[in-house]
mmCIF file of all heavy atoms in Angstrom:
data_model
loop_
_atom_site.group_PDB
_atom_site.id
_atom_site.type_symbol
_atom_site.label_atom_id
_atom_site.label_comp_id
_atom_site.label_asym_id
_atom_site.label_seq_id
_atom_site.Cartn_x
_atom_site.Cartn_y
_atom_site.Cartn_z
ATOM 1 N N SER A 255 -122.426 -41.991 54.293
ATOM 2 C CA SER A 255 -123.138 -42.844 53.336
ATOM 3 C C SER A 255 -122.336 -44.098 53.027
ATOM 4 O O SER A 255 -122.884 -45.212 52.985
ATOM 5 C CB SER A 255 -123.412 -42.065 52.041
ATOM 6 O OG SER A 255 -124.175 -40.907 52.288
ATOM 7 N N TYR A 256 -121.035 -43.928 52.816
ATOM 8 C CA TYR A 256 -120.181 -45.077 52.514
ATOM 9 C C TYR A 256 -120.123 -46.038 53.694
ATOM 10 O O TYR A 256 -120.131 -47.264 53.517
ATOM 11 C CB TYR A 256 -118.776 -44.584 52.149
ATOM 12 C CG TYR A 256 -117.845 -45.676 51.703
ATOM 13 C CD1 TYR A 256 -118.252 -46.654 50.799
ATOM 14 C CD2 TYR A 256 -116.526 -45.726 52.164
ATOM 15 C CE1 TYR A 256 -117.390 -47.651 50.383
ATOM 16 C CE2 TYR A 256 -115.659 -46.718 51.745
ATOM 17 C CZ TYR A 256 -116.096 -47.688 50.861
ATOM 18 O OH TYR A 256 -115.239 -48.682 50.456
ATOM 19 N N GLY A 257 -120.073 -45.495 54.908
ATOM 20 C CA GLY A 257 -120.070 -46.345 56.095
ATOM 21 C C GLY A 257 -121.323 -47.195 56.189
ATOM 22 O O GLY A 257 -121.266 -48.371 56.573
ATOM 23 N N LEU A 258 -122.481 -46.628 55.831
ATOM 24 C CA LEU A 258 -123.729 -47.394 55.844
ATOM 25 C C LEU A 258 -123.695 -48.513 54.810
ATOM 26 O O LEU A 258 -124.203 -49.614 55.049
ATOM 27 C CB LEU A 258 -124.912 -46.455 55.566
ATOM 28 C CG LEU A 258 -125.236 -45.439 56.665
ATOM 29 C CD1 LEU A 258 -126.312 -44.479 56.200
ATOM 30 C CD2 LEU A 258 -125.662 -46.142 57.946
ATOM 31 N N ILE A 259 -123.081 -48.236 53.667
ATOM 32 C CA ILE A 259 -122.962 -49.274 52.636
ATOM 33 C C ILE A 259 -122.058 -50.403 53.116
ATOM 34 O O ILE A 259 -122.397 -51.589 52.987
ATOM 35 C CB ILE A 259 -122.414 -48.655 51.332
ATOM 36 C CG1 ILE A 259 -123.432 -47.679 50.742
ATOM 37 C CG2 ILE A 259 -122.087 -49.746 50.313
ATOM 38 C CD1 ILE A 259 -122.911 -46.888 49.562
ATOM 39 N N LEU A 260 -120.913 -50.056 53.691
ATOM 40 C CA LEU A 260 -119.992 -51.075 54.191
ATOM 41 C C LEU A 260 -120.633 -51.938 55.271
ATOM 42 O O LEU A 260 -120.446 -53.156 55.317
ATOM 43 C CB LEU A 260 -118.726 -50.415 54.737
ATOM 44 C CG LEU A 260 -117.752 -49.803 53.725
ATOM 45 C CD1 LEU A 260 -116.596 -49.128 54.451
ATOM 46 C CD2 LEU A 260 -117.221 -50.866 52.767
ATOM 47 N N ALA A 261 -121.393 -51.291 56.156
ATOM 48 C CA ALA A 261 -122.003 -52.023 57.265
ATOM 49 C C ALA A 261 -123.067 -53.006 56.806
ATOM 50 O O ALA A 261 -123.419 -53.931 57.545
ATOM 51 C CB ALA A 261 -122.619 -51.027 58.265
ATOM 52 N N ASN A 262 -123.581 -52.834 55.592
ATOM 53 C CA ASN A 262 -124.641 -53.706 55.102
ATOM 54 C C ASN A 262 -124.143 -54.750 54.105
ATOM 55 O O ASN A 262 -124.952 -55.466 53.517
ATOM 56 C CB ASN A 262 -125.748 -52.862 54.461
ATOM 57 C CG ASN A 262 -126.697 -52.290 55.493
ATOM 58 O OD1 ASN A 262 -127.692 -52.914 55.857
ATOM 59 N ND2 ASN A 262 -126.389 -51.100 55.998
ATOM 60 N N ARG A 263 -122.832 -54.834 53.918
ATOM 61 C CA ARG A 263 -122.298 -55.879 53.054
ATOM 62 C C ARG A 263 -122.124 -57.173 53.837
ATOM 63 O O ARG A 263 -121.786 -57.144 55.017
ATOM 64 C CB ARG A 263 -120.966 -55.431 52.444
ATOM 65 C CG ARG A 263 -121.163 -54.373 51.376
ATOM 66 C CD ARG A 263 -119.871 -53.891 50.801
ATOM 67 N NE ARG A 263 -120.122 -52.930 49.723
ATOM 68 C CZ ARG A 263 -119.201 -52.128 49.221
ATOM 69 N NH1 ARG A 263 -117.961 -52.169 49.698
ATOM 70 N NH2 ARG A 263 -119.493 -51.293 48.265
ATOM 71 N N GLN A 264 -122.325 -58.278 53.162
ATOM 72 C CA GLN A 264 -122.292 -59.587 53.809
ATOM 73 C C GLN A 264 -120.937 -60.245 53.534
ATOM 74 O O GLN A 264 -120.779 -61.041 52.620
ATOM 75 C CB GLN A 264 -123.440 -60.446 53.282
ATOM 76 C CG GLN A 264 -124.802 -59.804 53.517
ATOM 77 C CD GLN A 264 -125.907 -60.518 52.778
ATOM 78 O OE1 GLN A 264 -125.735 -61.620 52.285
ATOM 79 N NE2 GLN A 264 -127.070 -59.886 52.709
ATOM 80 N N HIS A 265 -119.966 -59.890 54.370
ATOM 81 C CA HIS A 265 -118.598 -60.331 54.107
ATOM 82 C C HIS A 265 -118.375 -61.810 54.415
ATOM 83 O O HIS A 265 -117.358 -62.381 54.017
ATOM 84 C CB HIS A 265 -117.628 -59.471 54.917
ATOM 85 C CG HIS A 265 -117.653 -58.017 54.554
ATOM 86 N ND1 HIS A 265 -117.166 -57.553 53.357
ATOM 87 C CD2 HIS A 265 -118.138 -56.929 55.207
ATOM 88 C CE1 HIS A 265 -117.317 -56.244 53.294
ATOM 89 N NE2 HIS A 265 -117.901 -55.844 54.405
ATOM 90 N N ARG A 266 -119.317 -62.445 55.120
ATOM 91 C CA ARG A 266 -119.152 -63.881 55.413
ATOM 92 C C ARG A 266 -119.524 -64.743 54.205
ATOM 93 O O ARG A 266 -119.140 -65.904 54.143
ATOM 94 C CB ARG A 266 -120.027 -64.279 56.615
ATOM 95 C CG ARG A 266 -119.538 -63.705 57.937
ATOM 96 C CD ARG A 266 -120.437 -64.162 59.074
ATOM 97 N NE ARG A 266 -120.053 -63.560 60.338
ATOM 98 C CZ ARG A 266 -119.171 -64.085 61.175
ATOM 99 N NH1 ARG A 266 -118.593 -65.229 60.878
ATOM 100 N NH2 ARG A 266 -118.872 -63.475 62.302
ATOM 101 N N ARG A 267 -120.288 -64.175 53.307
ATOM 102 C CA ARG A 267 -120.714 -64.945 52.147
ATOM 103 C C ARG A 267 -119.715 -64.792 51.014
ATOM 104 O O ARG A 267 -119.039 -63.769 50.879
ATOM 105 C CB ARG A 267 -122.099 -64.473 51.687
ATOM 106 C CG ARG A 267 -123.193 -64.731 52.703
ATOM 107 C CD ARG A 267 -124.522 -64.161 52.255
ATOM 108 N NE ARG A 267 -124.970 -64.781 51.006
ATOM 109 C CZ ARG A 267 -126.109 -64.442 50.404
ATOM 110 N NH1 ARG A 267 -126.903 -63.513 50.931
ATOM 111 N NH2 ARG A 267 -126.466 -65.031 49.282
ATOM 112 N N ALA A 268 -119.643 -65.813 50.191
ATOM 113 C CA ALA A 268 -118.737 -65.763 49.049
ATOM 114 C C ALA A 268 -119.205 -64.695 48.061
ATOM 115 O O ALA A 268 -120.403 -64.425 47.928
ATOM 116 C CB ALA A 268 -118.702 -67.121 48.358
ATOM 117 N N LEU A 269 -118.239 -64.068 47.376
ATOM 118 C CA LEU A 269 -118.593 -63.080 46.374
ATOM 119 C C LEU A 269 -119.388 -63.730 45.250
ATOM 120 O O LEU A 269 -119.075 -64.830 44.801
ATOM 121 C CB LEU A 269 -117.329 -62.438 45.808
ATOM 122 C CG LEU A 269 -116.481 -61.615 46.784
ATOM 123 C CD1 LEU A 269 -115.286 -61.030 46.050
ATOM 124 C CD2 LEU A 269 -117.309 -60.510 47.408
ATOM 125 N N LEU A 270 -120.420 -63.049 44.801
ATOM 126 C CA LEU A 270 -121.263 -63.549 43.726
ATOM 127 C C LEU A 270 -121.005 -62.739 42.463
ATOM 128 O O LEU A 270 -121.055 -61.513 42.493
ATOM 129 C CB LEU A 270 -122.744 -63.434 44.112
ATOM 130 C CG LEU A 270 -123.165 -64.170 45.386
ATOM 131 C CD1 LEU A 270 -124.637 -63.912 45.665
ATOM 132 C CD2 LEU A 270 -122.909 -65.668 45.247
ATOM 133 N N ARG A 271 -120.706 -63.423 41.394
ATOM 134 C CA ARG A 271 -120.471 -62.734 40.141
ATOM 135 C C ARG A 271 -121.807 -62.324 39.530
ATOM 136 O O ARG A 271 -122.569 -63.143 39.058
ATOM 137 C CB ARG A 271 -119.719 -63.652 39.174
ATOM 138 C CG ARG A 271 -118.250 -63.805 39.522
ATOM 139 C CD ARG A 271 -117.490 -62.527 39.198
ATOM 140 N NE ARG A 271 -116.127 -62.577 39.691
ATOM 141 C CZ ARG A 271 -115.293 -61.562 39.643
ATOM 142 N NH1 ARG A 271 -115.696 -60.410 39.167
ATOM 143 N NH2 ARG A 271 -114.067 -61.678 40.118
ATOM 144 N N ARG A 272 -122.098 -61.037 39.582
ATOM 145 C CA ARG A 272 -123.326 -60.520 38.982
ATOM 146 C C ARG A 272 -122.979 -59.782 37.691
ATOM 147 O O ARG A 272 -121.861 -59.302 37.511
ATOM 148 C CB ARG A 272 -124.037 -59.576 39.946
ATOM 149 C CG ARG A 272 -124.543 -60.252 41.212
ATOM 150 C CD ARG A 272 -125.416 -59.274 41.997
ATOM 151 N NE ARG A 272 -126.020 -59.922 43.156
ATOM 152 C CZ ARG A 272 -125.536 -59.862 44.383
ATOM 153 N NH1 ARG A 272 -124.438 -59.181 44.625
ATOM 154 N NH2 ARG A 272 -126.148 -60.472 45.383
ATOM 155 N N LYS A 273 -123.949 -59.636 36.855
ATOM 156 C CA LYS A 273 -123.749 -58.904 35.614
ATOM 157 C C LYS A 273 -123.397 -57.458 35.941
ATOM 158 O O LYS A 273 -124.064 -56.797 36.722
ATOM 159 C CB LYS A 273 -125.022 -58.959 34.767
ATOM 160 C CG LYS A 273 -124.871 -58.268 33.415
ATOM 161 C CD LYS A 273 -126.156 -58.366 32.616
ATOM 162 C CE LYS A 273 -126.004 -57.650 31.268
ATOM 163 N NZ LYS A 273 -127.248 -57.713 30.467
ATOM 164 N N VAL A 274 -122.327 -56.984 35.340
ATOM 165 C CA VAL A 274 -121.863 -55.626 35.603
ATOM 166 C C VAL A 274 -122.855 -54.628 35.017
ATOM 167 O O VAL A 274 -123.416 -54.836 33.935
ATOM 168 C CB VAL A 274 -120.465 -55.403 34.990
ATOM 169 C CG1 VAL A 274 -119.968 -53.989 35.263
ATOM 170 C CG2 VAL A 274 -119.489 -56.423 35.545
ATOM 171 N N SER A 275 -123.090 -53.531 35.756
ATOM 172 C CA SER A 275 -123.994 -52.494 35.288
ATOM 173 C C SER A 275 -123.501 -51.909 33.974
ATOM 174 O O SER A 275 -122.297 -51.729 33.761
ATOM 175 C CB SER A 275 -124.102 -51.386 36.342
ATOM 176 O OG SER A 275 -124.718 -50.243 35.810
ATOM 177 N N ALA A 276 -124.451 -51.595 33.091
ATOM 178 C CA ALA A 276 -124.086 -50.983 31.811
ATOM 179 C C ALA A 276 -123.401 -49.640 32.033
ATOM 180 O O ALA A 276 -122.497 -49.257 31.284
ATOM 181 C CB ALA A 276 -125.322 -50.814 30.944
ATOM 182 N N VAL A 277 -123.832 -48.926 33.076
ATOM 183 C CA VAL A 277 -123.203 -47.644 33.409
ATOM 184 C C VAL A 277 -121.746 -47.858 33.797
ATOM 185 O O VAL A 277 -120.856 -47.119 33.366
ATOM 186 C CB VAL A 277 -123.968 -46.947 34.550
ATOM 187 C CG1 VAL A 277 -123.242 -45.682 34.998
ATOM 188 C CG2 VAL A 277 -125.384 -46.623 34.130
ATOM 189 N N ALA A 278 -121.497 -48.888 34.613
ATOM 190 C CA ALA A 278 -120.132 -49.173 35.051
ATOM 191 C C ALA A 278 -119.253 -49.564 33.875
ATOM 192 O O ALA A 278 -118.089 -49.156 33.787
ATOM 193 C CB ALA A 278 -120.151 -50.288 36.096
ATOM 194 N N VAL A 279 -119.786 -50.365 32.939
ATOM 195 C CA VAL A 279 -119.024 -50.777 31.759
ATOM 196 C C VAL A 279 -118.640 -49.561 30.927
ATOM 197 O O VAL A 279 -117.489 -49.405 30.493
ATOM 198 C CB VAL A 279 -119.837 -51.772 30.913
ATOM 199 C CG1 VAL A 279 -119.128 -52.053 29.596
ATOM 200 C CG2 VAL A 279 -120.051 -53.064 31.687
ATOM 201 N N LEU A 280 -119.621 -48.678 30.718
ATOM 202 C CA LEU A 280 -119.368 -47.483 29.912
ATOM 203 C C LEU A 280 -118.329 -46.580 30.568
ATOM 204 O O LEU A 280 -117.398 -46.095 29.911
ATOM 205 C CB LEU A 280 -120.680 -46.724 29.710
ATOM 206 C CG LEU A 280 -120.598 -45.425 28.903
ATOM 207 C CD1 LEU A 280 -120.145 -45.714 27.476
ATOM 208 C CD2 LEU A 280 -121.951 -44.712 28.899
ATOM 209 N N CYS A 281 -118.475 -46.353 31.884
ATOM 210 C CA CYS A 281 -117.546 -45.469 32.597
ATOM 211 C C CYS A 281 -116.135 -46.060 32.634
ATOM 212 O O CYS A 281 -115.151 -45.334 32.499
ATOM 213 C CB CYS A 281 -118.050 -45.208 34.014
ATOM 214 S SG CYS A 281 -119.527 -44.175 34.083
ATOM 215 N N ARG A 282 -116.054 -47.373 32.837
ATOM 216 C CA ARG A 282 -114.742 -48.027 32.861
ATOM 217 C C ARG A 282 -114.064 -47.871 31.518
ATOM 218 O O ARG A 282 -112.867 -47.528 31.439
ATOM 219 C CB ARG A 282 -114.916 -49.503 33.199
ATOM 220 C CG ARG A 282 -113.643 -50.330 33.115
ATOM 221 C CD ARG A 282 -113.918 -51.778 33.513
ATOM 222 N NE ARG A 282 -112.781 -52.640 33.221
ATOM 223 C CZ ARG A 282 -112.569 -53.208 32.047
ATOM 224 N NH1 ARG A 282 -113.423 -53.008 31.062
ATOM 225 N NH2 ARG A 282 -111.520 -53.983 31.851
ATOM 226 N N ARG A 283 -114.792 -48.123 30.433
ATOM 227 C CA ARG A 283 -114.211 -48.003 29.093
ATOM 228 C C ARG A 283 -113.781 -46.559 28.821
ATOM 229 O O ARG A 283 -112.701 -46.302 28.275
ATOM 230 C CB ARG A 283 -115.236 -48.460 28.061
ATOM 231 C CG ARG A 283 -114.696 -48.496 26.629
ATOM 232 C CD ARG A 283 -115.781 -48.873 25.653
ATOM 233 N NE ARG A 283 -116.394 -50.144 26.004
ATOM 234 C CZ ARG A 283 -117.702 -50.337 26.084
ATOM 235 N NH1 ARG A 283 -118.535 -49.329 25.857
ATOM 236 N NH2 ARG A 283 -118.188 -51.523 26.381
ATOM 237 N N TRP A 284 -114.612 -45.624 29.255
ATOM 238 C CA TRP A 284 -114.313 -44.206 29.032
ATOM 239 C C TRP A 284 -113.093 -43.778 29.835
ATOM 240 O O TRP A 284 -112.222 -43.067 29.333
ATOM 241 C CB TRP A 284 -115.540 -43.370 29.418
ATOM 242 C CG TRP A 284 -115.338 -41.895 29.260
ATOM 243 C CD1 TRP A 284 -115.037 -41.220 28.109
ATOM 244 C CD2 TRP A 284 -115.423 -40.917 30.290
ATOM 245 N NE1 TRP A 284 -114.935 -39.878 28.359
ATOM 246 C CE2 TRP A 284 -115.166 -39.656 29.691
ATOM 247 C CE3 TRP A 284 -115.703 -40.964 31.652
ATOM 248 C CZ2 TRP A 284 -115.171 -38.467 30.421
ATOM 249 C CZ3 TRP A 284 -115.709 -39.779 32.368
ATOM 250 C CH2 TRP A 284 -115.444 -38.560 31.765
ATOM 251 N N PHE A 285 -113.013 -44.230 31.083
ATOM 252 C CA PHE A 285 -111.883 -43.851 31.933
ATOM 253 C C PHE A 285 -110.574 -44.384 31.366
ATOM 254 O O PHE A 285 -109.578 -43.666 31.301
ATOM 255 C CB PHE A 285 -112.094 -44.383 33.349
ATOM 256 C CG PHE A 285 -110.998 -43.996 34.312
ATOM 257 C CD1 PHE A 285 -111.095 -42.832 35.057
ATOM 258 C CD2 PHE A 285 -109.872 -44.793 34.469
ATOM 259 C CE1 PHE A 285 -110.076 -42.464 35.927
ATOM 260 C CE2 PHE A 285 -108.853 -44.444 35.338
ATOM 261 C CZ PHE A 285 -108.960 -43.266 36.065
ATOM 262 N N LEU A 286 -110.577 -45.653 30.949
ATOM 263 C CA LEU A 286 -109.343 -46.246 30.436
ATOM 264 C C LEU A 286 -108.917 -45.610 29.116
ATOM 265 O O LEU A 286 -107.716 -45.377 28.891
ATOM 266 C CB LEU A 286 -109.525 -47.757 30.261
ATOM 267 C CG LEU A 286 -109.680 -48.559 31.560
ATOM 268 C CD1 LEU A 286 -110.001 -50.012 31.262
ATOM 269 C CD2 LEU A 286 -108.423 -48.453 32.420
ATOM 270 N N SER A 287 -109.879 -45.314 28.258
ATOM 271 C CA SER A 287 -109.525 -44.699 26.974
ATOM 272 C C SER A 287 -109.051 -43.264 27.141
ATOM 273 O O SER A 287 -108.289 -42.754 26.309
ATOM 274 C CB SER A 287 -110.728 -44.740 26.023
ATOM 275 O OG SER A 287 -111.805 -43.982 26.560
ATOM 276 N N ALA A 288 -109.494 -42.624 28.225
ATOM 277 C CA ALA A 288 -109.107 -41.228 28.474
ATOM 278 C C ALA A 288 -107.951 -41.124 29.464
ATOM 279 O O ALA A 288 -107.746 -40.066 30.066
ATOM 280 C CB ALA A 288 -110.313 -40.441 28.994
ATOM 281 N N ALA A 289 -107.207 -42.200 29.653
ATOM 282 C CA ALA A 289 -106.107 -42.207 30.628
ATOM 283 C C ALA A 289 -105.124 -41.054 30.429
ATOM 284 O O ALA A 289 -104.700 -40.426 31.412
ATOM 285 C CB ALA A 289 -105.382 -43.552 30.575
ATOM 286 N N PRO A 290 -104.740 -40.705 29.181
ATOM 287 C CA PRO A 290 -103.825 -39.567 29.018
ATOM 288 C C PRO A 290 -104.397 -38.270 29.592
ATOM 289 O O PRO A 290 -103.646 -37.437 30.118
ATOM 290 C CB PRO A 290 -103.647 -39.471 27.496
ATOM 291 C CG PRO A 290 -103.907 -40.861 27.001
ATOM 292 C CD PRO A 290 -104.987 -41.392 27.891
ATOM 293 N N LEU A 291 -105.721 -38.110 29.475
ATOM 294 C CA LEU A 291 -106.351 -36.909 30.025
ATOM 295 C C LEU A 291 -106.203 -36.858 31.537
ATOM 296 O O LEU A 291 -105.871 -35.806 32.107
ATOM 297 C CB LEU A 291 -107.834 -36.888 29.642
ATOM 298 C CG LEU A 291 -108.680 -35.788 30.308
ATOM 299 C CD1 LEU A 291 -108.189 -34.402 29.896
ATOM 300 C CD2 LEU A 291 -110.156 -35.971 29.952
ATOM 301 N N TRP A 292 -106.419 -37.995 32.224
ATOM 302 C CA TRP A 292 -106.351 -38.006 33.685
ATOM 303 C C TRP A 292 -104.930 -37.758 34.171
ATOM 304 O O TRP A 292 -104.723 -37.034 35.141
ATOM 305 C CB TRP A 292 -106.868 -39.349 34.222
ATOM 306 C CG TRP A 292 -108.206 -39.721 33.697
ATOM 307 C CD1 TRP A 292 -108.562 -40.886 33.080
ATOM 308 C CD2 TRP A 292 -109.385 -38.904 33.704
ATOM 309 N NE1 TRP A 292 -109.878 -40.850 32.699
ATOM 310 C CE2 TRP A 292 -110.412 -39.647 33.073
ATOM 311 C CE3 TRP A 292 -109.677 -37.627 34.154
ATOM 312 C CZ2 TRP A 292 -111.694 -39.157 32.907
ATOM 313 C CZ3 TRP A 292 -110.956 -37.122 33.987
ATOM 314 C CH2 TRP A 292 -111.954 -37.888 33.368
ATOM 315 N N PHE A 293 -103.960 -38.322 33.462
ATOM 316 C CA PHE A 293 -102.574 -38.067 33.859
ATOM 317 C C PHE A 293 -102.184 -36.621 33.541
ATOM 318 O O PHE A 293 -101.384 -36.014 34.255
ATOM 319 C CB PHE A 293 -101.628 -39.056 33.175
ATOM 320 C CG PHE A 293 -101.598 -40.397 33.836
ATOM 321 C CD1 PHE A 293 -102.392 -41.442 33.383
ATOM 322 C CD2 PHE A 293 -100.791 -40.624 34.942
ATOM 323 C CE1 PHE A 293 -102.379 -42.686 33.991
ATOM 324 C CE2 PHE A 293 -100.768 -41.864 35.574
ATOM 325 C CZ PHE A 293 -101.569 -42.897 35.101
#
């Protein structure tokens, strides 16, 4: 599945700053705040 995703990315084009997913924002905040748990 990951290989299919990589093969469909357009690496010749410049990266476009898109609005970050709300799910990604929440998970990132949760992961960083729970850093002691992961360690």
